[in-house]
Amino acid sequence: MRLHRLGITAFGPFGATEEIDFDALCAAGIFLLHGPTGAGKTSVLDAVCYGLYGAVPGARQSPGTSLRSDHAPADLLTEIRLELTVGGRRLEITRSPAQTRPKKKGDGYTTEKAQSRLREYVPDEGWRALSRSNQEIGEEITQLIGMSRDQFCQVVLLPQGDFARFLRADAEARGKLLGRLFDTRRFAAVEEHLAELRRAAGTQVRAGDERILAVAQRIAQAAGPAASECPLPGIQPGEPGLADAVLEWAATARSSARERLDIAASVLSAAESRQTAARLALDTARELAGLQQRYEETRRRATAVEAGRAEHDQAQERLKRARKADLVAPALELREEADRAHRRADAARDRSRAGLPGDLADAGAEQLTALERRLREELGGLDAARRAERRGAEIDSERTALERQARADDELIRDAESWLAGWETTRNGLHTRIEASQEAATRAELLAGRLDPARRRLDAARRRDALAARVSDAEERLGAARERALATGEAWLGLRERRLRDIAAELARELADGEACAVCGSPDHPRPARAGDGHVDQAAEDTAEAAHRRAEQARTEAEHALAAVRERHAAARAEAAETGDGQAADTAGGRDRAAEPTVGALTDLVDTLTREHTEAYRTATGTHAAREALAAAEREQEQRAGARQQAERRAAARTSRREGLDAEQAALEEVLAQARGAAGSVTEHAALLQHRVALLVEAAATLREEESAAARLKEADDRLADAAFRAGFDTPQDAAGTMLPDSRQRELQHRIDAWQAEAAAVADRLAETEARAAAGRPPAAPDAAQPVFDTAERLLRAAAGAHAAARERCTELGRLSRRAADEVRALGPVREEYERIARLAGLTAGTSADNERKMRLESYVLAARLEQVAAAATARLRRMSSGRYTLVHSDARTGGRRAGLGLHVIDAWTGRERDTATLSGGETFFASLALALGLADVVTDEAGGVRLDTLFIDEGFGSLDDQTLDEVLDVLDSLRERDRSVGIVSHVADLRRRIPAQLEVVKERHGSAVRHRAADGVSG
């Protein structure tokens, strides 16, 4: 994969469009990416990653983090355009994140969705569009590169801090990183799958054992007393031999149950014989006692029949006379009904005559009817007068309603005139209120435009004052660091000079008799040099050199810290000193610190602007309410004026209506005066006539009803006398005294029928010979035979129950034993499968005895990858360290952690192996760099051999001395042998002299920019 061009628009710190030509930078093999802190060096790498994968590396892709530049204008959309060659294809990827932009029509903003475009350059055709789908482009690029985003960021964008931590990390941390890079999740998934299979198989085995034990418990319950003779063994699920023990125990329980069944069968046979004999004796005694009791009962019933014979004859005679009297009953009932009707009619006639005048007390029905007709004719003549009287009442109601309407309209007119009199004043006041609200809205907008810059200046002033103190502290720390670096340097040089002065004595200590001198080659050593006082050895010199290097590192870090703080302080000063138009306030000879605004002054300014803005905004918010109030007042004015005009028209109409009502009322009074007569009103006169008509109608009707009832009574008396004579009674009174109600007749008939039936039954039973013969025998004794039978019956039931229980127990034990055998047979293959899976799971999890190193499967694979990485890194590490260091992989388990992921370094100067955490800062850097390059080679091979022609190394060179830096650059320069280009991201000033091809990121007030410098000059 080779990068050609990168276009960055409104991304991160870049407020405009920046173009980076990687072809020009990579032509030299190594190029430098440098710039001040916060300028955007890392953002260039983020743009490369975003162009390829649509996301930035690591934690910078956190929720809520915007990729859009705060310096970019609102109408300039964020966009990354990357041109590269991968897999032999030249592609161009253009990506834009989701962002907001101004609406093309109207005010406000709208959200622009994330977009991606992929094009391919085809010779002789030019650029050809391939896809606009984010998902399709992501899958295509990932397949071509062969690496995920995490692998790409770890292999192509080499983060030195991560590999330094990798060197010092424990096995768990190394395992996480390597697992992410080499994607060993499938091996971890195999471990988890086998563990899950083992848990599932173990669960099945335990469930099978529990089912077997459950069957055994049911066998114990079914065995009953036999279970106490052979108790269930105390075996838990999962223990070996459980199945055999349960089957053996079940066989013993079945044998004991069969013996008990045989005993119960013998007891049942003897009980049945005794119960048969006792039942025969009891039945014989009960039969004799029954015959004797039947004969005695028959004799008692015959005596009772003879005693009731006379009563039976009397009942027959009385029932016969009552049935004759029933023939007279209809005539008797008819006469009683006629008598009751005559008495009711006579009473009604007397009540109706009491209401008539005295001269009509003896009048006949015809006379009363004629008088009624005359009164009805007079009543009919009053209908017109009643209508006239009702109309008069209606006219009075109408006059009252007119007066009420007149009063309401008068009040409405007075209220409307009073309100309309002040209308002009009200309208002018509302117009004034609207104008004041509009002016306040304009002022609020102006104050808001001044308030935000004032707040930013206040925040900047506070940061300026805080950073001023930090600048002083950083200057003091830098001075102390410089003094320590100078002192340690002088001490180291002094020790080195003293050691060189006494180097002969140090060499003389290694001389041995007969062995050649390493300097002159002579085997004779007549006068070897001796060390003087204060001799300095190699260890003391190395210690002093290490102290000097640490001091230099501290000095460099202090310089970087001071530069960063000064830069932040300068930015805060500039922002705090900005005027209202966004420009900084400068003096003729530079910025005047005395003219810088204080925090107090800016605080007073912000408070004043805030207070004025709040008041203006509060007033401006009343614009809508004032407009609504004016519209409501105008509507009310129209309504009140219209209501007053309608009320005046209604008043004129009411005057005409009153005149018409007065004329109509005068005409009606003439008609009513004639119709009322002596009564107070026509209605009262009509009610009196209606009452008289009703009295006459009622009196005539009751008179006619009394005459009719008297005729019906005489006819009923004649019919009753005739019916009594035909029925054989002398008078109707005799027939009435003999009559009986139906219930009494049915009772007499039932008594007669019961006596006759009892007499017939007694005659039949007296003719039975068996009962008469049994009465001659001695009395029977069934009570004595009953206890004997009850005892035999109870013993039989107990024996039958015991036999049935024993038979059922044997059947249930047989069924449960077969079920237990089935469960054992079914569990056999499951147990074998569990043992096989458990062996595999233990082996992959590192817990099996067969796994000598106790190494998990994923760790085993990662260990092989780490061994490859260590071998690839050693080739470069030896060159960087002048042959001193070698990285080796270790399978040993450390501190109880996972085995196989150990990483040690062999020091050729001492010949010993030590942990990578003991390397110094510079040694750690070039060791981690070698490790990163080796890991890049291995991951590239793992990804299918995809060529990675462009790499980036992020920081870390400041910890190297000049010699080591040359060796590291030689190693990086050697990457050109594989046609690779390396971009170094660093602050180290010496690298700007050593590396001619450079990409500088310049930090400016309105956003960062990039500047190219090729090997032969500078370009913008």
Side-chain angles (χ1 to χ4, degrees):
M1 182 194 73
R2 177 177 295 278
L3 304 180
H4 297 295
R5 300 186 66 84
L6 174 65
I8 303 175
T9 302
F11 181 85
F14 302 101
T17 300
E18 301 294 334
E19 294 287 340
I20 300 175
D21 187 356
F22 284 110
D23 286 337
L25 293 171
C26 295
I30 299 178
F31 63 92
L32 177 65
L33 176 60
H34 68 94
T37 301
K41 300 184 297 299
T42 305
S43 295
V44 174
L45 307 184
D46 291 346
V48 173
C49 184
Y50 184 77
L52 290 173
Y53 295 98
V56 297
R60 295 191 291 277
Q61 186 66 22
S62 59
T65 302
S66 175
L67 302 179
R68 179 169 176 78
S69 174
D70 296 334
H71 302 284
D75 57 350
L76 182 61
L77 298 182
T78 299
E79 183 179 88
I80 299 297
R81 186 180 70 260
L82 179 63
E83 186 179 338
L84 73 158
T85 297
V86 59
R89 300 167 61 185
R90 185 154 183 161
L91 304 174
E92 181 190 72
I93 308 170
T94 304
R95 293 187 185 271
S96 298
Q99 54 193 306
T100 57
R101 61 167 177 81
K103 293 183 177 178
K104 296 180 180 179
K105 295 183 180 179
D107 299 332
Y109 290 84
T110 184
T111 300
E112 189 80 14
K113 295 182 180 180
Q115 297 181 4
S116 298
R117 297 187 297 276
L118 178 63
R119 299 196 303 170
E120 181 178 5
Y121 182 79
V122 180
D124 302 330
E125 294 183 16
W127 291 101
R128 182 180 63 187
L130 295 181
S131 176
R132 300 179 67 91
S133 169
N134 290 326
Q135 182 177 0
E136 291 180 359
I137 295 173
E139 293 175 354
E140 180 73 13
I141 296 301
T142 301
Q143 183 177 3
L144 288 173
I145 298 177
M147 288 183 286
S148 64
R149 182 184 57 139
D150 290 341
Q151 290 176 316
F152 178 84
C153 295
Q154 197 74 33
V155 173
V156 178
L157 311 179
L158 302 178
Q160 291 306 305
D162 288 353
F163 283 98
R165 287 191 295 272
F166 182 80
L167 281 173
R168 297 185 174 92
D170 55 14
E172 292 295 332
R174 288 195 185 111
K176 291 180 181 178
L177 177 60
L178 293 175
R180 188 170 65 250
L181 293 178
F182 293 106
D183 193 16
T184 57
R185 290 173 296 179
R186 58 187 182 277
F187 300 104
V190 170
E191 296 178 22
E192 181 61 28
H193 181 62
L194 289 174
E196 184 64 28
L197 290 178
R198 177 174 60 185
R199 287 191 293 270
T203 301
Q204 292 180 354
V205 171
R206 286 191 298 274
D209 288 343
E210 290 173 356
R211 287 196 298 273
I212 292 174
L213 286 177
V215 174
Q217 293 293 341
R218 294 186 61 182
I219 290 175
Q221 294 175 0
S228 59
E229 300 176 1
C230 49
L232 178 65
I235 303 177
Q236 299 299 325
E239 294 185 10
L242 182 144
D244 296 338
V246 169
L247 293 179
E248 183 179 355
W249 175 80
T252 304
R254 288 199 309 275
S255 177
S256 176
R258 283 194 294 271
E259 294 177 358
R260 291 180 176 274
L261 177 61
D262 295 340
I263 296 172
S266 301
V267 173
L268 177 61
S269 178
E272 288 175 347
S273 299
R274 288 194 298 271
Q275 189 265 353
T276 301
R279 177 177 291 280
L280 180 60
L282 178 61
D283 292 343
T284 302
R286 284 178 175 175
E287 183 179 1
L288 178 60
L291 291 174
Q292 291 176 347
Q293 291 176 0
R294 183 179 180 82
Y295 184 74
E296 290 297 329
E297 182 183 357
T298 302
R299 293 185 55 107
R300 287 193 302 272
R301 289 171 64 184
T303 303
V305 166
E306 288 300 325
R309 185 179 295 275
E311 184 180 356
H312 167 68
D313 295 340
Q314 293 176 0
Q316 279 185 329
E317 181 62 25
R318 187 175 180 183
L319 180 62
K320 181 179 178 182
R321 288 179 58 80
R323 288 176 175 172
K324 288 182 179 182
D326 288 342
L327 300 176
V328 186
L332 183 61
E333 292 178 357
L334 182 62
R335 197 272 174 191
E336 291 177 352
E337 178 63 26
D339 184 61
R340 288 193 297 272
H342 180 264
R343 286 195 299 270
R344 286 195 302 272
D346 189 58
R349 183 198 60 187
D350 294 340
R351 285 195 303 272
S352 63
R353 283 184 179 276
L356 296 176
D359 56 346
L360 296 177
D362 296 329
E366 291 77 5
Q367 184 181 357
L368 294 175
T369 302
L371 182 58
E372 173 199 352
R373 283 195 297 271
R374 287 196 304 272
L375 291 178
R376 287 186 183 277
E377 292 175 356
E378 184 180 356
L379 183 62
L382 294 179
D383 289 343
R386 281 200 296 270
R387 288 193 296 272
E389 189 175 41
R390 286 197 297 271
R391 177 57 186 159
E394 292 175 356
I395 291 174
D396 293 338
S397 299
E398 290 182 12
R399 280 203 185 97
T400 303
L402 290 174
E403 293 297 331
R404 184 169 59 253
Q405 293 173 4
R407 288 193 299 272
D409 285 345
D410 291 342
E411 184 177 358
L412 187 148
I413 292 172
R414 288 194 300 272
D415 186 40
E417 291 177 348
S418 175
W419 191 90
L420 292 173
W423 162 239
E424 292 298 330
T425 302
T426 302
R427 182 172 58 183
N428 295 335
L430 290 174
H431 279 296
T432 303
R433 179 180 169 190
I434 292 173
E435 292 172 358
S437 298
Q438 291 174 343
E439 293 175 358
T442 303
R443 177 170 174 76
E445 292 180 359
L446 295 175
L447 291 173
R450 296 176 57 192
L451 183 58
D452 288 342
R455 285 174 176 169
R456 288 196 296 271
R457 292 180 63 196
L458 175 59
D459 294 339
R462 289 170 176 167
R463 292 198 306 273
R464 177 199 64 197
D465 295 348
L467 290 171
R470 294 180 60 182
V471 167
S472 300
D473 294 342
E475 290 174 347
E476 293 177 0
R477 286 195 295 271
L478 177 58
R482 285 173 175 171
E483 292 177 0
R484 285 195 299 272
L486 181 60
T488 54
E490 292 176 353
W492 171 50
L493 293 177
L495 291 176
R496 185 177 181 86
E497 183 178 358
R498 288 166 58 188
R499 179 168 177 266
L500 292 176
R501 189 170 55 245
D502 296 337
I503 194 64
E506 185 174 338
L507 294 175
R509 286 199 304 269
E510 299 179 358
L511 296 177
D513 294 338
E515 294 183 0
C517 176
V519 178
C520 64
S522 173
D524 297 328
H525 317 297
R527 287 187 303 169
R530 298 185 180 278
D533 295 337
H535 174 69
V536 178
D537 57 6
Q538 177 69 37
E541 181 186 353
D542 292 344
T543 302
E545 182 183 4
H548 173 60
R549 288 184 177 180
R550 288 194 297 273
E552 284 292 328
Q553 177 68 21
R555 178 187 60 78
T556 303
E557 293 175 354
E559 289 177 349
H560 292 169
L562 177 59
V565 172
R566 281 178 174 172
E567 184 178 0
R568 293 172 60 191
H569 179 251
R573 288 181 61 193
E575 187 175 358
E578 284 183 353
T579 60
D581 59 357
Q583 301 296 325
D586 295 331
T587 62
R591 182 163 297 172
D592 185 4
R593 176 179 293 273
E596 292 180 357
T598 63
V599 173
L602 290 175
T603 301
D604 294 340
L605 176 61
V606 169
D607 292 342
T608 301
L609 292 175
T610 301
R611 184 172 58 258
E612 293 177 355
H613 177 265
T614 302
E615 293 175 357
Y617 181 77
R618 185 184 304 111
T619 304
T621 55
T623 303
H624 178 72
R627 293 183 184 276
E628 290 292 330
L630 177 59
E634 290 175 347
R635 289 194 299 271
E636 186 174 0
Q637 187 268 341
E638 293 177 359
Q639 292 173 359
R640 287 181 178 271
R644 181 182 62 180
Q645 185 178 6
Q646 292 176 1
E648 292 173 349
R649 286 198 297 268
R650 287 196 299 270
R654 281 195 298 272
T655 302
S656 300
R657 181 59 179 164
R658 285 195 189 96
E659 295 175 355
L661 291 176
D662 291 342
E664 186 179 1
Q665 183 71 35
L668 291 175
E669 283 296 332
E670 296 178 0
V671 176
L672 292 175
Q674 297 176 0
R676 281 196 298 267
S681 64
V682 175
T683 302
E684 183 180 348
H685 187 201
L688 179 60
L689 293 178
Q690 288 177 348
H691 178 66
R692 290 177 179 176
V693 168
L695 290 177
L696 292 173
V697 170
E698 181 183 4
T702 54
L703 182 60
R704 292 190 185 93
E705 180 65 24
E706 189 273 336
E707 293 174 354
S708 175
R712 290 195 299 273
L713 177 61
K714 183 177 182 303
E715 183 180 359
D717 287 336
D718 295 341
R719 290 182 179 180
L720 176 60
D722 183 60
F725 177 75
R726 285 198 301 269
F729 293 100
D730 296 335
T731 63
Q733 291 73 16
D734 292 341
T738 308
M739 292 178 62
L740 292 176
D742 293 341
S743 59
R744 180 60 177 163
Q745 292 183 21
R746 288 194 297 273
E747 180 183 354
L748 290 175
Q749 186 63 50
H750 290 162
R751 288 167 57 186
I752 293 169
D753 295 340
W755 184 90
Q756 292 175 351
E758 180 67 10
V762 168
D764 291 339
R765 292 181 63 172
L766 287 176
E768 295 176 355
T769 56
E770 293 182 356
R772 186 181 298 109
R777 297 175 58 184
D783 295 338
Q786 184 65 42
V788 176
F789 172 75
D790 292 342
T791 301
E793 183 72 15
R794 186 174 61 257
L795 293 176
L796 176 61
R797 284 197 301 270
H803 181 265
R807 183 174 61 251
E808 184 178 357
R809 185 178 299 113
C810 288
T811 302
E812 183 67 11
L813 287 175
R815 186 183 66 81
L816 292 175
S817 297
R818 289 191 298 273
R819 181 175 174 183
D822 294 341
E823 293 288 350
V824 169
R825 284 193 300 272
L827 185 59
V830 177
R831 191 183 298 277
E832 293 176 358
E833 179 71 10
Y834 167 72
E835 293 174 354
R836 182 176 63 83
I837 293 174
R839 286 195 300 271
L840 286 175
L843 187 63
T844 57
T847 59
S848 172
D850 297 334
N851 192 333
E852 297 179 358
R853 295 187 180 276
K854 305 301 181 184
M855 189 183 301
R856 292 171 46 205
L857 176 61
E858 184 183 15
S859 299
Y860 177 79
V861 176
L862 292 177
R865 294 289 186 265
L866 183 59
E867 189 172 7
Q868 295 174 352
V869 171
T874 296
R876 296 184 176 88
L877 179 59
R878 287 177 179 172
R879 185 171 177 180
M880 293 181 186
S881 62
S882 300
R884 179 177 179 181
Y885 293 119
T886 301
L887 282 175
V888 294
H889 159 256
S890 174
D891 287 335
R893 179 185 293 268
T894 58
R897 301 181 182 273
R898 69 164 81 182
L901 297 180
L903 194 62
H904 295 165
V905 62
I906 297 178
D907 190 346
W909 289 7
T910 62
R912 293 186 178 180
E913 179 179 320
R914 56 192 175 101
D915 193 272
T916 54
T918 62
L919 295 173
S920 65
E923 293 169 343
T924 298
F925 167 70
F926 62 69
S928 63
L929 177 59
L931 184 65
L933 295 174
L935 183 62
D937 292 340
V938 174
V939 172
T940 301
D941 296 339
E942 176 73 12
V946 177
R947 289 180 54 83
L948 301 177
D949 299 321
T950 308
L951 301 177
F952 294 90
I953 301 175
D954 192 358
E955 282 299 347
F957 292 88
S959 61
L960 304 179
D961 56 31
D962 293 341
Q963 179 181 355
T964 306
L965 182 59
D966 288 337
E967 293 172 347
V968 170
L969 292 178
D970 289 341
V971 172
L972 295 178
D973 190 59
S974 67
L975 294 177
R976 286 187 295 178
E977 299 173 1
R978 301 181 62 179
D979 198 18
R980 281 184 173 179
S981 299
V982 179
I984 297 176
V985 183
S986 178
H987 292 91
V988 178
D990 192 33
L991 290 175
R992 302 177 192 174
R993 296 189 298 272
R994 295 171 181 261
I995 303 175
Q998 298 178 13
L999 176 66
E1000 181 182 6
V1001 183
V1002 182
K1003 181 166 60 176
E1004 299 175 349
R1005 178 171 301 279
H1006 300 293
S1008 299
V1010 297
R1011 296 176 182 172
H1012 296 75
R1013 189 175 78 174
D1016 54 354
V1018 178
S1019 63

